[in-house]
Amino acid sequence: MLLNTLKRLLGRDGSGDCGTEARADGAASLRADGGTPTSDGFDIESVVSSLRESEAVRSAPFWLPPFLLMGFFVYGAIGWNVIISFTDFAGLQLPTYDPTAFDLEMYRRALSDGQFWLATRNTFVLLVSFTGLSLAGGLGLAILVDRGIRFENWFRTIYLLPFSLSFVVTAVFWRWMYNFDSGVINVFLRGIGLDFLASKWLAGGVELGALSAIPLVPETLQFKLFAVIFALLWQFSGYAMVVYLAGLRAIPDDQYEAARVDGASTVRMYRRVILPQLRASTVSAAVVLMVFALKAFDFLYVMFGNNPGPTADILSTMMYRQAFAANEWAYGSAIAVVLFLVALAVVAPYLYGEYRRGEL
Amino acid sequence: MSVRDDIADQLGVDFDAVDPIRVVLYGTLVGLVAFYLSPLESGLMTALKTEAEFATSPPFVPPTADGFTLEPFSVAIDTLASAILNSIMLAVPATILSALLGSFAAYGLTNFEWRGQLGVVTLFIAGIFIPYQAVLIPLSRLWAIVDTQELLAPVLDITLFSVQVPVLGTVELATHPHYASIINLIITHAAYGIPITTLLFRSYYKKLSTEMLEAARLDGASAFTVYRRIVLPLSTPMFAVTLIYQFTQIWNDLLFALVIIPSGSGPAAVATIALNELTGGIIQTFNTQMAGAFVAALPTLLVYILFGDKFAKGVAGEA
């Protein structure tokens, strides 16, 4: 009973204090509610010795220092950011953390800022199309590579290769790929007689005509964002492939056999037997890809500088521009909070699902 | 006997073994190889061409004898050399630090049983997914307040060692006053690396035999002894995976460097920043840009080519 109480106290303590403080706290609160359930001789010695044996205390020297460092930088910084977003911090003046002056002005400003809505729209376009296409591409690659081919390692290594490059390097390569006069894409298109398709991929667009009557749909659809998505697809589909391959390999061979004996065609086998079992792979790859999409800042920054323009601006580039170029620190913080909430909306259900299935 | 079988007999080939589906399969695979390698291939070809050559020839065609030059590479190496040294001095310590801390945390959170453990684990894992924009402004504020340069004044500005490198001459690996901002970056990267390294090590430690650890404990071994004598030696393969993954991530980062290194550039610039500056000019010298991209990517490309399988494991472990 006593041990349980202690364990509970220690368990709750996990939020941040260090081990020795936890011991003091535990003992103090025990003494505070003095004679409650355990009246059979309260003994500080036994408390201390059972504490020493308690797993939480024994393990604390290992997990607590990393936890404090990580907790400070991750959760401390997020909290700090939220607080800054309530202030009017801008320019060279230092922020004043006066709770009475906190307000939601920066969020109101965002809601009435056309740029913010464009960036939000682009963020979702990027998030959904990039994730969907990468998953589809990665699944296709995984199925091809999983067909018992020769030189499998070579193919796999080449498809995953772009993933090891930085966004900066990828952006430098693709700016050259998309070059109008002598980039690979246009040279290739002209080479196979499709001259009319050769375009200014990073600056051009097509007229949308009647479609632009729909709200938030522009008159000309610029290629910019799609050029970005295509390049990112090149970089990340290999990642999705690796995740799917692991999923495919985890399916027992006899299921393939059974489907074959039943006379199912290959397509049917994949649709009925294999794909449903890849749900877990899909979910985890999708979450990671979405997080990468939210981090696509580096790529856009190298391609277009800190203002990619209304058709390719996403929340992360807008946040950086407002804060670090325009010195609108509080406004930047508010945009960052929105971005964080988007990420949370993606990740929280995933983590909860993992928790429910006991996979954390 | 048909003509086809006749030919097959003469050639000693069984045509039926050449399954048309396999032909299409390999055709597709090779076509995809072309797609995945084309940016790299045309980049490499362009980097080997003179300006006159790359503007007039197709980008993926190798340079002609007249148009061949190594100058883009020598320009790129000259421009990026100090930034690459900075990147090494950043990525190596930060990688080791975050891997070690991740290993500690994973051991403390996996091989012990206590209430509330799962809550702590969740906080660790959720840290993997945060968009870094949500911490940028506090980070820049923090490193404006904490004056590492002042704190470390006595130890900065010392030569660690100098080595003779062929081609480059004497290279002095020295800490300089600007190294303070690199130390800030090391701490930052180590901290933000902990969630993913913890996850990777935890997935590995979950599979360790509990009987063995329990036996050691019953023999009176302390938690530290168990870690040092049993868990750490067994972690070698996972350290390889984690170190490779983290090295790639830290080497490739641009955002933290932009925010934490004052004015983004100068003597403390890391490879990604220097590459961005090299390629950001108005004059489109694509040959130098491509050479720069290869030079800046070389360490991660080497790591990938040498340890590709471990890299893939780190990637899949993240899922």
Side-chain angles (χ1 to χ4, degrees):
Chain A
M1 186 78 187
L2 177 67
L3 205 64
N4 273 338
T5 321
L6 272 173
K7 273 191 179 164
R8 208 159 43 235
L9 283 164
L10 286 169
R12 210 173 289 156
D13 168 64
S15 56
D17 298 339
C18 72
T20 45
E21 268 176 294
R23 194 177 303 179
D25 279 347
S29 42
L30 270 176
R31 225 172 290 131
D33 48 32
T36 38
T38 46
S39 48
D40 49 326
F42 179 78
D43 179 1
I44 191 77
E45 290 284 308
S46 76
V47 172
V48 171
S49 75
S50 61
L51 261 171
R52 196 167 294 145
E53 281 158 37
S54 136
E55 294 273 278
V57 172
R58 273 164 47 89
S59 65
F62 290 95
W63 62 263
L64 199 56
F67 182 75
L68 291 178
L69 182 65
M70 183 280 293
F72 173 74
F73 272 92
V74 174
Y75 298 103
I78 290 172
W80 193 353
N81 185 74
V82 170
I83 290 172
I84 290 177
S85 75
F86 294 146
T87 67
D88 301 323
F89 183 21
L92 297 174
Q93 227 164 5
L94 291 177
T96 45
Y97 302 108
D98 175 12
T100 56
F102 285 174
D103 55 29
L104 296 173
E105 190 200 324
M106 293 303 154
Y107 295 92
R108 278 194 291 272
R109 181 171 158 188
L111 293 181
S112 57
D113 184 344
Q115 250 184 36
F116 171 79
W117 288 110
L118 283 176
T120 307
R121 180 200 65 187
N122 294 339
T123 304
F124 277 99
V125 171
L126 179 69
L127 203 64
V128 172
S129 50
F130 161 73
T131 309
L133 292 171
S134 295
L135 287 177
L139 179 62
L141 287 176
I143 290 177
L144 287 178
V145 169
D146 195 40
R147 301 295 298 163
I149 55 166
R150 279 201 213 179
F151 312 114
E152 185 198 308
N153 265 328
W154 280 98
F155 286 115
R156 216 178 45 199
T157 306
I158 289 170
Y159 299 154
L160 185 61
L161 180 65
F163 186 70
S164 73
L165 301 174
S166 67
F167 277 123
V168 183
V169 169
T170 318
V172 170
F173 281 135
W174 279 88
R175 213 166 35 192
W176 177 223
M177 293 288 285
Y178 285 134
N179 184 278
F180 180 70
D181 297 316
S182 36
V184 172
I185 294 184
N186 283 350
V187 167
F188 177 74
L189 288 173
R190 291 185 195 118
I192 58 171
L194 295 171
D195 300 51
F196 64 96
L197 281 180
S199 308
K200 294 196 162 154
W201 299 107
L202 298 180
V206 285
E207 301 284 332
L208 281 184
L211 278 176
S212 58
I214 305 167
L216 280 177
V217 173
E219 273 175 32
T220 46
L221 183 69
Q222 291 211 313
F223 295 134
K224 240 182 204 178
L225 190 60
F226 299 96
V228 169
I229 291 171
F230 188 72
L232 291 178
L233 192 61
W234 172 80
Q235 194 176 3
F236 286 96
S237 45
Y239 165 74
M241 172 197 71
V242 168
V243 176
Y244 274 126
L245 260 181
L248 284 172
R249 299 279 150 90
I251 299 173
D253 281 344
D254 51 2
Q255 297 203 6
Y256 290 87
E257 292 302 318
R260 211 159 281 150
V261 170
D262 285 351
S265 70
T266 310
V267 175
R268 204 184 154 87
M269 176 180 79
Y270 272 106
R271 226 183 48 209
R272 291 287 166 81
V273 183
I274 309 299
L275 288 188
Q277 300 195 55
L278 292 175
R279 211 192 63 90
S281 305
T282 307
V283 171
S284 63
V287 170
V288 173
L289 287 170
M290 285 189 211
V291 173
F292 271 116
L294 292 174
K295 286 181 182 173
F297 168 86
D298 288 12
F299 188 86
L300 286 156
Y301 183 79
V302 176
M303 274 239 170
F304 308 112
N306 69 25
N307 195 353
T311 51
D313 200 16
I314 59 173
L315 286 172
S316 51
T317 47
M318 184 184 180
M319 178 271 162
Y320 183 86
R321 186 171 63 249
Q322 291 294 346
F324 294 91
N327 290 341
E328 294 280 354
W329 305 102
Y331 190 37
S333 297
I335 299 167
V337 170
V338 174
L339 193 62
F340 172 71
L341 292 177
V342 174
L344 199 64
V346 170
V347 171
Y350 168 69
L351 285 181
Y352 184 68
E354 294 283 286
Y355 170 76
R356 284 284 297 277
R357 284 182 291 129
E359 303 222 333
L360 270 187
Chain B
M1 190 182 257
S2 71
V3 183
R4 181 171 162 257
D5 288 345
D6 215 26
I7 299 171
D9 268 353
Q10 280 173 17
L11 292 174
V13 184
D14 182 5
F15 268 124
D16 293 325
V18 184
D19 178 352
I21 293 180
R22 303 291 291 175
V23 175
V24 173
L25 174 67
Y26 281 102
T28 315
L29 287 166
V30 172
L32 285 166
V33 166
F35 168 66
Y36 280 95
L37 290 185
S38 60
L40 301 170
E41 195 269 347
S42 60
L44 186 61
M45 291 308 137
T46 306
L48 294 171
K49 289 174 187 173
T50 59
E51 268 180 58
E53 176 91 353
F54 84 71
T56 51
S57 69
F60 37 78
V61 173
T64 59
D66 289 340
F68 175 80
T69 172
L70 285 175
E71 209 204 315
F73 274 99
S74 71
V75 172
I77 291 172
D78 276 354
T79 324
L80 297 176
S82 74
I84 289 198
L85 270 183
N86 284 338
S87 272
I88 293 172
M89 298 213 286
L90 156 70
V92 172
T95 302
I96 295 172
L97 207 56
S98 67
L100 268 181
L101 289 171
S103 163
F104 289 162
Y107 172 63
L109 292 169
T110 312
N111 306 94
F112 297 86
E113 294 271 342
W114 43 279
R115 261 163 181 276
Q117 195 179 25
L118 219 51
V120 177
V121 171
T122 310
L123 285 176
F124 267 98
I125 293 178
I128 297 170
F129 301 103
I130 63 148
Y132 291 147
Q133 261 72 14
V135 297
L136 282 189
I137 294 170
L139 269 183
S140 73
R141 292 298 312 136
L142 174 74
W143 294 124
I145 295 167
V146 179
D147 191 346
T148 318
Q149 194 158 329
E150 187 71 32
L151 290 172
L152 293 178
V155 287
L156 289 174
D157 221 359
I158 45 167
T159 306
L160 294 177
F161 56 84
S162 61
V163 280
Q164 289 291 333
V165 180
V167 188
L168 292 175
T170 311
V171 174
E172 280 194 349
L173 197 60
T175 58
H176 44 76
H178 310 287
Y179 196 61
S181 43
I182 293 182
I183 290 176
N184 295 345
L185 262 183
I186 292 175
I187 298 170
T188 310
H189 273 297
Y192 289 104
I194 290 172
I196 181 70
T197 55
T198 305
L199 177 79
L200 288 172
F201 277 109
R202 215 175 101 83
S203 69
Y204 188 69
Y205 291 164
K206 270 194 221 166
K207 291 182 230 149
L208 288 184
S209 135
T210 42
E211 286 102 39
M212 185 170 56
L213 299 183
E214 202 51 48
R217 193 182 290 191
L218 289 177
D219 281 350
S222 71
F224 286 99
T225 316
V226 172
Y227 178 77
R228 205 163 51 84
R229 292 283 170 79
I230 302 175
V231 177
L232 193 58
L234 286 174
S235 311
T236 322
M238 205 59 212
F239 264 103
V241 170
T242 311
L243 289 174
I244 286 166
Y245 185 79
Q246 272 302 96
F247 179 81
T248 313
Q249 293 300 306
I250 295 171
W251 186 278
N252 287 346
D253 167 74
L254 171 74
L255 186 56
F256 282 159
L258 273 179
V259 170
I260 291 173
I261 297 175
S263 76
S265 60
V270 293
T272 43
I273 288 198
L275 175 63
N276 185 38
E277 281 174 4
L278 173 75
T279 60
I282 310 288
I283 310 159
Q284 303 277 293
T285 47
F286 279 108
N287 51 355
T288 316
Q289 295 190 11
M290 295 302 126
F294 275 105
V295 171
L298 192 64
T300 49
L301 276 177
L302 276 182
V303 162
Y304 181 70
I305 290 164
L306 294 176
F307 310 105
D309 54 331
K310 297 216 172 60
F311 182 79
K313 256 185 215 165
V315 169
E318 191 182 337

